[in-house]
Amino acid sequence: GDIGLALGHNPDFVRGYKVRAGFETANRDWNGALADAGQLIRIQPNSEDGYSFRAQLYAASGDLVHAYDDQTVAVKLAPKSAAALNNKCWFGAILGKLDDALDDCDSALDIAPKDPAALDSRGFVRLKKGQWDRAIKDYTAALDTRPNMASSLYGRGLAKQQKGDKAGADDDIAAAEKIDKNIVQRFGK
């Protein structure tokens, strides 16, 4: 279509590759989307944006190892980006790299202390490490800024469950499911 024509006229049209990758992602054409993300990196090899973009595509396709690798490059290119650090933390947590993930979350929160996404990610790391009180504290701090964050409610509910607070756990989990009916399946992917 029009995007292909635009890219044919200008093979360095960054926005065109992003838009086309969005369409490809919607159609679950991961190979096409990842190839277009690779073009972004070719055009701007020293930009965190291309690597973070491709990392998100890898994650959406279920390839968390490559997502983590690309996010690691993104952090090297933009070490003061709280978002890049948070994404690396999240991918690391899912892959079981808990100590590294905690370091990345802490670094993100040094830059953006009240960032609910980074607090949520650190809560998830602490939940996986069995640090129930610390997980509850992080999830509560995330919810103070973003009260309808289903992942923080659900994670806090799981941590409360581990501590034996059945009523508190049930309340948090029910609230999370009310916000996002698929939170149980989505949590921890």
Side-chain angles (χ1 to χ4, degrees), residues 168-185:
D170 290 348
D171 287 348
D172 280 349
I173 291 170
E177 290 175 330
K178 186 175 181 182
I179 295 165
D180 179 355
K181 65 180 177 163
N182 297 315
I183 188 64
V184 175
Q185 296 80 18

Side-chain angles (χ1 to χ4, degrees), residues 12-174:
D12 291 342
F13 181 39
V14 170
R15 178 99 175 105
Y17 288 112
K18 276 193 166 184
V19 169
R20 189 165 71 183
F23 287 124
E24 291 160 340
T25 299
N27 291 319
R28 305 186 72 73
D29 175 7
W30 303 117
N31 290 334
L34 289 165
D36 281 340
Q39 290 298 323
L40 296 174
I41 293 167
R42 176 191 61 79
I43 296 164
Q44 299 173 327
N46 296 316
S47 170
E48 168 267 336
D49 184 56
Y51 286 97
S52 286
F53 182 71
R54 190 169 69 180
Q56 294 300 318
L57 293 173
Y58 273 129
S61 75
D63 184 349
L64 293 170
V65 171
H66 282 102
Y68 182 81
D69 291 345
D70 268 2
Q71 202 60 54
T72 299
V73 174
V75 167
K76 286 179 184 169
L77 292 170
K80 297 295 181 190
S81 169
L85 285 158
N86 177 55
N87 288 339
K88 184 174 178 249
C89 167
W90 183 254
F91 298 143
I94 294 170
L95 291 171
K97 300 173 185 262
L98 300 181
D99 292 333
D100 290 340
L102 189 56
D103 288 344
D104 290 328
C105 279
D106 287 343
S107 294
L109 288 163
D110 285 344
I111 296 164
K114 294 182 188 263
D115 178 35
L119 287 162
D120 179 74
S121 294
R122 190 170 70 180
F124 181 65
V125 173
R126 288 180 165 164
L127 181 69
K128 289 188 81 162
K129 287 179 76 91
Q131 299 173 346
W132 317 127
D133 289 327
R134 288 177 162 197
I136 290 168
K137 183 179 177 185
D138 282 338
Y139 284 132
T140 300
L143 291 163
D144 286 347
T145 304
R146 195 178 296 160
N148 290 326
M149 201 168 182
S151 57
S152 287
L153 283 164
Y154 190 77
R156 187 173 71 177
L158 293 178
K160 286 179 178 180
Q161 203 172 54
Q162 291 296 322
K163 287 187 52 77
D165 179 2
K166 182 174 174 14
D170 290 348
D171 287 348
D172 280 349
I173 291 170

